[in-house]
């Protein structure tokens, strides 16, 4: 494949993403005067792809939280995300350009909180919609947004008083419950009315569609409730175009259409990947492909067709008349899945801004305004003021411009545009769990989230950096005066004030205060990320901390992802074993466990038992005797942590822990709680090997928990 160097305006230099394309795809985009868009919830991104005159691709990327379904009109873009449905509007008029480059720029206009419904396809209908590609909406006409509410197995629309308003459900769904019973996913519009939907199975039990993936897929006419095509394999993306109902038969990798007279599915082209996301332009179909290396399609036809190579992730341009693959785009690296695809007709270089972009604070439009109006920027500091907690200014904590200040007098920072500002540093005392949450917007990791799963063990101490009484940086430590030790638990500087030694000064003043009080050690535990690797660890080296050590592996996933693991459905315990709900543990069994000598302290089943999640915390008995458990805790409303997996030593080599864990996971899959987390100690070699073999392919996040210490001399 020919490597076409992408425009990296929104792809960071340390991104592992590589985008390549067929030799003529750039010229094709230019000749057709179109751009392509695709969403990928797997990497939380929305991409625009355009051609450039130099023969290279322009790649525009923005980050959103789980973007999925898209719908485009002439000047609107609709996008479903994890728990919101967004409407973006184009702010660029005909013949104008945003930033002298973009002939379409989509700014966020409104967002509706839907809750986490796992929204898939989204469409917008209008009573007087005009035909076209993309469709042109008549001005001042009411629009109705209709979306596939996959979690509740229905079609729905927005509601001013509720998260959603259900419009239609399949006839085989007995009631609306948050159980994703049939995996309703796709919606096709015919003559400005929703008409056809796709589902992976005609099931009426929680997540039961997973057992119907091979041939249980259907297309339903919602005007008659009739199943017009059956026997499909994980169908997605129904689209009515040129008087045909096109459907992606994802489980086979086929792009084709359903004969509306016979119901028979007619393949047109095979695409080497899990096909999902479909759009049209003239006689071209643009098909999205995802890789399938995680085993989720085990046993399906597609697995055989791909010859174990996992397939491709990208886009393919197919001639709808001949089935020939004309052009392609391939993604390698961090992006492995695509959900939806769209064509931006007549658009040479589009852009989109997320809701937290700086531009939307300063660019406005209004009737008669003559286009974009850029407002005068205010003071470039956060509006957050110092909360009214006891604070103490540093000695010489505020001063004027100096050249290359040392940490001892670091009270000056350079303005991003070359000026200078006076920075004031203060110690913040008498912090409590409640009052620390006042600083939540100035904490990393977020302090509110910390208190959801942990209890304060010591006392809290803060250090603030402020400009004109506005906080621009904040640090929080948990201190233990009895043992003269402290833990750094949050460290944050506003983005526009970074790289100006403000963070270094916050850390310096914390160390100075701790030494003065006789403290001997300062510790920090953190997750390994790009931010901590580039910023925090560099600062620790600068201040002579000891090299960090890896303590735990940190893992996250979703029930949708882990449900594809084949091993979940294979382990079966012999009949002399019994898995039981943990809340049924007897007092006698509790006393016996407390007397055991072979259970590590870290796996103690009675630690933090007030937050235990009884829904899927399980014990296991052998011939009536308790031998182990899989215990979970609810660490957030939407997240369950797998905290303790243990069986007694003589049962470990028999693999008796795996069926208990599998049952615990399956119970969460059947629930509406979508996220799973767990950690594994570095020294737990057996569990690390299990994670590598059985869990890692199904993880959405994999990192390390590191620990570092600074010995405070002269305390």
């Amino acid at each position: 494949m020919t490597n076409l160097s992408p425009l990296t305006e929104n792809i960071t230099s340390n991104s592992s993403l590589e985008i390549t394309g067929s030799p003529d795809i750039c010229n094709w985009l230019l000749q057709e005067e179109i751009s392509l868009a695709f969403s990928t919830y797997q990497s939380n991104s929305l991409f625009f792809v355009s051609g450039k005159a130099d023969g290279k691709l322009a790649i525009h990327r923005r980050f959103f939280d789980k973007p999925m379904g898209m719908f485009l009109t002439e000047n609107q873009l609709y996008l479903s995300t994890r728990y919101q449905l967004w409407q973006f509007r184009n702010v660029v008029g005909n013949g104008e350009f945003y930033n002298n480059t973009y002939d379409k720029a989509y700014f966020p206009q409104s967002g509706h909180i839907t809750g986490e419904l796992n929204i898939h396809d989204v469409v917008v209908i209008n009573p007087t919609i005009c035909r076209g590609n993309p469709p042109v909406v008549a001005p001042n006409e009411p629009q109705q947004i209709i979306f596939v509410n996959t979690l509740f197995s229905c079609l729905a629309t927005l509601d001013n008083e509720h998260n959603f308003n259900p419009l239609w459900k399949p006839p085989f769904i007995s009631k609306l419950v948050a159980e994703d019973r049939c995996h309703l996913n796709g919606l096709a519009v015919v003559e400005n009315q929703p008409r056809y939907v796709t589902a992976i199975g005609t099931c009426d039990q929680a997540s039961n569609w997973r057992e119907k993936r091979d041939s249980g897929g259907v297309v339903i006419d919602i005007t008659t409730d009739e199943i017009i095509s059956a026997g499909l394999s994980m169908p997605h993306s129904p689209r009515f175009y040129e008087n045909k109902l096109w459907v992606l038969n994802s489980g086979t990798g086929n792009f084709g259409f359903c004969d509306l007279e016979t119901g028979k599915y007619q393949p047109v082209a095979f695409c080497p990947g899990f096909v999902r996301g479909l759009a049209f332009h003239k006689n071209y179909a643009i098909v999205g492909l995802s890789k399938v290396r995680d085993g989720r399609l085990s046993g399906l036809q597609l697995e055989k067709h791909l010859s174990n190579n996992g397939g491709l992730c990208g886009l393919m341009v197919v001639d709808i008349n001949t089935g020939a693959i004309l052009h392609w785009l391939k993604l390698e690296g961090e992006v492995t899945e695509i959900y939806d695809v769209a064509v931006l007709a007549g658009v040479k270089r589009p852009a989109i801004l997320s809701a937290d972009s700086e531009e939307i604070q300063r660019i406005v439009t209004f009737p008669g305004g003559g286009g974009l109006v850029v407002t005068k920027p205010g003071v470039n500091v956060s509006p957050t003021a110092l909360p009214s907690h006891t604070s103490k200014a540093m000695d010489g904590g505020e001063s004027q411009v100096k050249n290359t200040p040392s940490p001892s007098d670091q009270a000056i920072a350079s303005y991003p545009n070359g000026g200078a500002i006076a920075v004031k540093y203060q110690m913040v005392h008498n912090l409590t769990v409640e009052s620390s949450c006042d600083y939540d917007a100035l904490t990393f990791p977020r302090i509110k989230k910390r208190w959801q799963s942990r209890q304060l063990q010591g006392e809290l101490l803060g250090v603030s950096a402020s400009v004109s009484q506005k906080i621009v940086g904040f640090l929080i430590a948990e201190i233990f005066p009895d043992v003269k030790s402290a833990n750094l638990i949050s460290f944050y500087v506003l983005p526009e004030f970074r790289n100006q030694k403000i963070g270094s000064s916050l850390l310096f003043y914390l160390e100075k205060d701790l030494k003065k009080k006789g403290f001997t050690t300062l510790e920090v535990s953190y997750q390994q990320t790009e931010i901590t690797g580039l910023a925090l660890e560099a600062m620790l080296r600068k201040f002579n901390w000891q090299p960090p050590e890896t303590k735990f592996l940190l893992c996250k996933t979703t029930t949708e992802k882990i449900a594809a693991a084949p091993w979940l459905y294979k382990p079966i315990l012999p009949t002399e074993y019994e898995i039981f709900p943990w809340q049924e543990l007897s007092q006698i069994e509790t006393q016996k466990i407390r007397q055991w000598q072979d259970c590590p302290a870290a796996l103690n089943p009675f630690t933090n038992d007030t937050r235990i999640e009884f829904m899927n915390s399980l014990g296991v008995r052998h011939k009536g005797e308790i031998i182990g458990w899989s215990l979970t805790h609810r660490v957030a409303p939407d997240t369950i942590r797998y905290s303790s997996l243990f069986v007694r030593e003589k049962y470990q080599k028999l693999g008796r822990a795996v069926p208990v864990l599998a049952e615990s996971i399956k119970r969460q899959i059947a629930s509406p709680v979508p996220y799973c987390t767990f950690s594994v100690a570095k020294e737990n070699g057996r569990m690390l090997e299990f994670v590598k073999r059985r869990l890692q392919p199904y993880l959405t996040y994999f990192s390390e928990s590191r620990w570092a210490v600074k010995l405070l001399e002269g305390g």
Side-chain angles (χ1 to χ4, degrees):
M1 294 184 177
T2 302
N3 189 351
L4 300 179
S5 301
L7 174 72
T8 58
E9 60 194 59
N10 288 299
I11 299 179
T12 58
S13 59
N14 55 5
S15 170
S16 63
L17 177 62
E18 179 184 9
I19 299 181
T20 58
S22 54
D24 52 355
I25 189 171
C26 182
N27 290 333
W28 177 73
L29 292 171
L30 291 173
Q31 291 170 4
E32 296 296 327
E33 295 187 347
I34 63 173
S35 295
L36 304 179
F38 61 89
S39 61
T40 163
Y41 63 86
Q42 170 260 335
S43 62
N44 293 325
S45 301
L46 178 65
F47 287 86
F48 288 155
V49 181
S50 309
K52 296 198 299 180
D54 61 2
K56 297 182 179 180
L57 292 175
I59 308 296
H60 182 90
R61 179 182 189 179
R62 289 294 187 188
F63 293 95
F64 296 91
D65 185 16
K66 194 184 179 183
M68 293 188 69
M70 291 186 292
F71 189 86
L72 279 163
T73 66
E74 184 179 30
N75 280 303
Q76 306 283 344
L77 185 152
Y78 300 83
L79 178 69
S80 68
T81 59
R82 187 178 302 278
Y83 60 91
Q84 293 174 287
L85 206 158
W86 284 96
Q87 179 181 359
F88 296 82
R89 62 184 173 90
N90 169 47
V91 298
V92 180
N94 291 333
E96 298 178 345
F97 293 88
Y98 173 65
N99 278 353
N100 297 317
T101 303
Y102 304 104
D103 54 346
K104 281 284 179 75
Y106 296 95
F107 278 44
Q109 183 174 20
S110 62
H112 184 91
I113 303 295
T114 60
E116 191 162 2
L117 305 178
N118 198 16
I119 293 175
H120 279 55
D121 281 8
V122 177
V123 302
V124 178
I125 62 172
N126 184 286
T128 56
I129 197 167
C130 303
R131 296 185 181 276
N133 187 13
V136 179
V137 177
N140 303 319
E141 289 289 344
Q143 297 175 338
Q144 185 179 22
I145 301 172
I146 300 176
F147 56 88
V148 180
N149 184 339
T150 303
L151 182 64
F152 282 84
S153 307
C154 69
L155 296 184
T157 189
L158 303 182
D159 190 280
N160 291 331
E161 297 182 3
H162 304 280
N163 294 98
F164 70 92
N165 182 8
L167 299 176
W168 174 89
K169 66 178 179 62
F172 48 80
I173 296 295
S174 58
K175 60 181 179 179
L176 299 180
V177 287
E179 293 181 348
D180 186 10
R181 294 187 168 187
C182 63
H183 206 66
L184 195 71
N185 58 58
L187 173 60
V189 173
V190 180
E191 295 182 348
N192 192 38
Q193 292 297 320
R195 181 67 182 270
Y196 301 106
V197 297
T198 48
I200 292 182
T202 55
C203 314
D204 196 29
Q205 295 180 341
S207 299
N208 193 239
W209 59 269
R210 299 182 188 279
E211 301 178 8
K212 312 292 182 181
R213 297 175 303 165
D214 185 33
S215 59
V218 295
V219 179
I220 308 171
D221 185 338
I222 69 171
T223 63
T224 62
D225 284 352
E226 178 186 3
I227 295 176
I228 64 167
S229 185
L232 300 174
S233 181
M234 302 188 74
H236 282 82
S237 309
R239 305 288 186 261
F240 194 79
Y241 184 74
E242 298 292 343
N243 294 316
K244 288 183 179 179
L245 178 61
W246 303 87
V247 176
L248 297 179
N249 203 24
S250 307
T252 65
N254 285 323
F255 159 71
F257 62 91
C258 292
D259 188 316
L260 296 178
E261 295 294 330
T262 65
K264 184 178 180 181
Y265 182 77
Q266 300 286 346
V268 173
F270 171 74
C271 301
F274 186 78
V275 286
R276 188 173 52 185
L278 177 62
F280 292 91
H281 173 72
K282 296 182 179 178
N283 65 311
Y284 306 106
I286 296 88
V287 181
L289 287 80
S290 300
K291 293 185 178 182
V292 291
R293 289 177 179 166
D294 59 5
R296 77 172 66 187
L297 302 181
S298 178
L300 298 183
Q301 295 182 43
L302 179 60
E303 184 182 40
K304 302 174 184 177
H305 295 328
L306 296 178
S307 302
N308 298 321
N309 65 5
L312 301 179
C313 176
L315 305 179
M316 284 194 168
V317 181
V318 182
D319 187 317
I320 63 175
N321 297 317
T322 66
I325 307 296
L326 303 177
H327 313 283
W328 48 260
L329 192 75
K330 179 182 177 183
L331 285 76
E332 287 284 1
E334 62 182 274
V335 179
T336 60
E337 296 185 21
I338 288 175
Y339 178 72
D340 208 358
V341 176
V343 175
L344 292 86
V347 182
K348 296 180 180 179
R349 287 290 297 277
I352 189 169
L353 281 76
S354 56
D356 57 356
S357 301
E358 180 182 352
E359 291 96 324
I360 67 171
Q361 303 177 42
R362 299 186 291 105
I363 296 179
V364 299
T365 63
F366 56 93
L372 299 181
V373 177
V374 181
T375 62
K376 182 179 179 180
V379 179
N380 197 22
V381 296
S382 168
T384 308
L386 280 166
S388 57
H389 306 300
T390 305
S391 60
K392 178 182 178 181
M394 298 292 146
D395 296 335
E398 184 173 2
S399 59
Q400 298 304 314
V401 178
K402 299 182 180 180
N403 294 322
T404 317
S406 64
S408 60
D409 59 13
Q410 175 60 44
I412 298 302
S414 299
Y415 230 101
N417 12 349
I421 52 175
V423 183
K424 185 175 183 179
Y425 298 91
Q426 292 182 299
M427 301 302 301
V428 183
H429 300 280
N430 298 336
L431 280 173
T432 64
V433 169
E434 292 75 17
S435 63
S436 69
C437 293
D438 294 341
Y439 296 92
D440 190 58
L442 286 156
T443 57
F444 182 82
R446 285 297 179 94
I447 201 69
K448 281 185 179 179
K449 189 173 182 179
R450 178 186 181 88
W451 303 136
Q452 290 176 356
S453 58
R454 305 187 190 185
Q455 294 181 347
L456 179 64
Q457 303 295 323
E459 303 172 10
L460 293 179
L461 176 65
V463 187
S464 68
S466 58
V467 176
S468 301
Q469 297 186 354
K470 308 295 183 181
I471 297 180
V472 300
F474 201 71
L475 176 154
I476 301 178
E478 186 174 6
I479 64 173
F480 304 89
D482 292 343
V483 295
K484 300 301 180 184
S485 179
N487 291 335
L488 180 61
I489 62 175
S490 176
F491 196 6
Y492 186 80
V493 177
L494 289 175
E496 58 266 38
F497 288 91
R498 293 173 186 168
N499 301 315
Q500 301 174 60
K501 299 185 179 180
I502 293 178
S504 299
S505 299
L506 288 170
L507 188 57
F508 166 78
Y509 282 122
L510 174 66
E511 291 188 16
K512 181 178 179 181
D513 187 79
L514 293 174
K515 289 179 181 179
K516 185 177 179 180
K517 295 174 181 176
F519 280 65
T520 58
T521 59
L522 175 59
E523 302 176 4
V524 62
S525 296
Y526 59 93
Q527 292 186 26
Q528 181 194 24
T529 64
E530 290 183 2
I531 294 176
T532 58
L534 293 174
L536 178 61
E537 291 185 351
M539 193 174 300
L540 297 182
R541 288 192 298 269
K542 176 181 177 181
F543 280 81
N544 299 316
W545 286 56
Q546 295 183 5
E549 301 177 15
T550 298
K551 292 295 185 180
F552 294 93
L553 293 183
L554 303 174
C555 307
K556 297 180 182 179
T557 189
T558 65
T559 52
E560 181 180 10
K561 192 85 170 177
I562 193 64
W567 64 268
L568 279 180
Y569 312 98
K570 294 179 180 179
I572 300 176
L573 285 173
T575 55
E576 63 266 26
Y577 292 86
E578 171 200 7
I579 295 176
F580 66 93
W582 187 251
Q583 66 263 43
E584 296 179 4
L585 187 76
S586 69
Q587 291 185 353
I588 295 176
E589 288 172 326
T590 299
Q591 294 173 359
K592 287 183 177 180
I593 293 172
R594 294 186 185 279
Q595 296 172 0
W596 289 357
Q597 301 296 319
D598 57 344
C599 179
L603 301 179
N604 186 330
F606 308 116
T607 300
N608 197 22
D609 55 1
T610 59
R611 296 177 61 89
I612 197 166
E613 178 55 64
F614 285 117
M615 177 186 72
N616 65 336
S617 287
L618 306 172
V620 58
R621 299 185 181 105
H622 179 236
K623 296 182 178 180
E625 291 290 326
I626 179 77
I627 65 167
W629 53 78
S630 172
L631 301 185
T632 66
H633 292 79
R634 184 73 70 95
V635 295
D638 60 356
T639 305
I640 290 176
R641 182 185 71 212
Y642 287 72
S643 307
S644 176
L645 177 66
F646 174 78
V647 294
R648 304 204 70 175
E649 186 174 359
K650 69 177 183 178
Y651 298 95
Q652 293 174 6
K653 294 183 179 180
L654 299 176
R656 299 303 183 233
V658 175
V660 187
L661 175 62
E663 179 62 26
S664 184
I665 294 173
K666 286 189 288 187
R667 293 193 183 195
Q668 183 180 349
I669 291 171
S671 81
V673 185
Y675 302 112
C676 324
T677 69
F678 65 92
S679 62
V680 183
K682 183 181 179 182
E683 60 270 16
N684 191 346
R686 182 175 296 177
M687 192 62 189
L688 290 176
E689 181 61 25
F690 176 80
V691 170
K692 181 179 179 180
R693 291 188 298 108
R694 300 288 187 93
L695 293 172
Q696 191 167 348
Y698 309 99
L699 298 179
T700 59
Y701 178 84
F702 187 77
S703 185
E704 296 180 1
S705 174
R706 293 184 172 182
W707 171 86
V709 62
K710 170 73 177 291
L711 301 179
L712 302 175
E713 300 176 357

